[in-house]
Amino acid sequence: MDVLPVRTISSVEELIQLVEKHGEIMLDGVESACVRPQNDELQKARYSGKKKQHTLKTLVISNSDSRILLVYLIAAGSVHDYNLFKQLFDSKIPWFKDTSIFLDLGFYGANSDYGINVKLPHKRKRKSKANQNPKLSKQQIEENANHARTRIAVEHAIGGMKIFNCLMHRIRNHLSSIIDNFFWLSAGLWNLKKSI
């Protein structure tokens, strides 16, 4: 029924075909809680300082209709989203020469590494002695709001994946192939629901 998302993109041509077929794309990370592993190394790798628990994560690409186009490979919770992004898209290849992709501030720096077609919101400067009250300009606030309106589709797609209990509750399975299928099949079921 052509509802299962792809698992990886191996060339710029594949990415262009994906965009031509589905329109503009957005990317974000998905994190799901898992049981604390008994193995010390695995336990350290899966501990997410952001969520303060053990998690597994992946990257999701969706289009503006919240259809999930790609679910990347599962990684440990301690791996940063931007590191996963760099694994998926090698920075030596001009991936986004003809394609725009919308990201959040978790991928800060991607526009300098990958080019101007990587769309990020404006980041407020840090407080300093020279700038005691840093603020964004009205234009930057408006641009951030437009960016958020576009990017909300990927948040809805992730929320759609998480209506399935296997991702909402703590993952108790230890087989990585089955856990990988939880994310992949949840995305496929969400796409099926969207297409009905």
Side-chain angles (χ1 to χ4, degrees), residues 146-157:
N146 289 334
H147 185 275
R149 273 187 219 104
T150 305
R151 241 196 96 262
I152 195 71
V154 73
E155 301 294 348
H156 289 163

Side-chain angles (χ1 to χ4, degrees), residues 92-196:
K92 295 179 183 113
I93 300 169
W95 289 98
F96 308 108
K97 186 180 173 188
D98 303 314
T99 304
S100 291
I101 186 165
F102 292 82
L103 306 172
D104 63 12
L105 284 174
F107 301 90
Y108 191 72
N111 51 357
S112 58
D113 292 343
Y114 290 90
I116 57 166
N117 285 333
V118 174
K119 308 293 183 190
L120 287 166
H122 297 285
K123 186 176 182 180
R124 192 182 65 189
K125 292 191 171 156
R126 292 175 114 177
K127 186 177 177 180
S128 66
K129 287 182 182 178
N131 190 0
Q132 288 292 324
N133 192 14
K135 289 183 180 177
L136 294 175
S137 68
K138 284 187 179 179
Q139 183 184 351
Q140 287 175 323
I141 291 169
E142 195 175 307
E143 286 171 6
N144 278 2
N146 289 334
H147 185 275
R149 273 187 219 104
T150 305
R151 241 196 96 262
I152 195 71
V154 73
E155 301 294 348
H156 289 163
I158 290 167
M161 280 175 69
K162 288 195 169 185
I163 61 174
F164 301 102
N165 282 337
C166 61
L167 293 184
M168 270 302 290
H169 301 294
R170 183 171 287 144
I171 296 170
R172 299 189 182 282
N173 201 300
H174 295 283
L175 291 173
S176 55
S177 59
I178 292 177
I179 295 168
D180 200 47
N181 281 337
F182 284 166
F183 285 87
W184 188 48
L185 294 174
S186 294
L189 287 168
W190 168 249
N191 286 345
L192 179 63
K193 185 179 178 188
K194 289 288 292 177
S195 64
I196 293 174

Side-chain angles (χ1 to χ4, degrees), residues 31-139:
E31 209 163 358
S32 206
C34 66
V35 292
R36 183 184 191 275
Q38 297 297 309
N39 179 311
D40 282 348
E41 286 180 26
L42 199 57
Q43 187 270 124
K44 284 177 188 171
R46 288 193 178 173
Y47 185 76
S48 169
K50 179 184 171 188
K51 298 283 186 182
K52 305 289 187 242
Q53 61 184 334
H54 295 86
T55 62
L56 293 162
K57 66 166 58 171
T58 187
L59 293 180
V60 167
I61 292 179
S62 86
N63 66 0
S64 54
D65 294 331
S66 298
R67 181 185 169 89
I68 299 169
L69 309 176
L70 175 135
V71 174
Y72 192 52
L73 306 173
I74 301 302
S78 62
V79 179
H80 195 277
D81 289 353
Y82 191 33
N83 288 338
L84 272 180
F85 183 80
K86 287 192 253 189
Q87 284 177 25
L88 178 59
F89 299 112
D90 184 1
S91 58
K92 295 179 183 113
I93 300 169
W95 289 98
F96 308 108
K97 186 180 173 188
D98 303 314
T99 304
S100 291
I101 186 165
F102 292 82
L103 306 172
D104 63 12
L105 284 174
F107 301 90
Y108 191 72
N111 51 357
S112 58
D113 292 343
Y114 290 90
I116 57 166
N117 285 333
V118 174
K119 308 293 183 190
L120 287 166
H122 297 285
K123 186 176 182 180
R124 192 182 65 189
K125 292 191 171 156
R126 292 175 114 177
K127 186 177 177 180
S128 66
K129 287 182 182 178
N131 190 0
Q132 288 292 324
N133 192 14
K135 289 183 180 177
L136 294 175
S137 68
K138 284 187 179 179
Q139 183 184 351

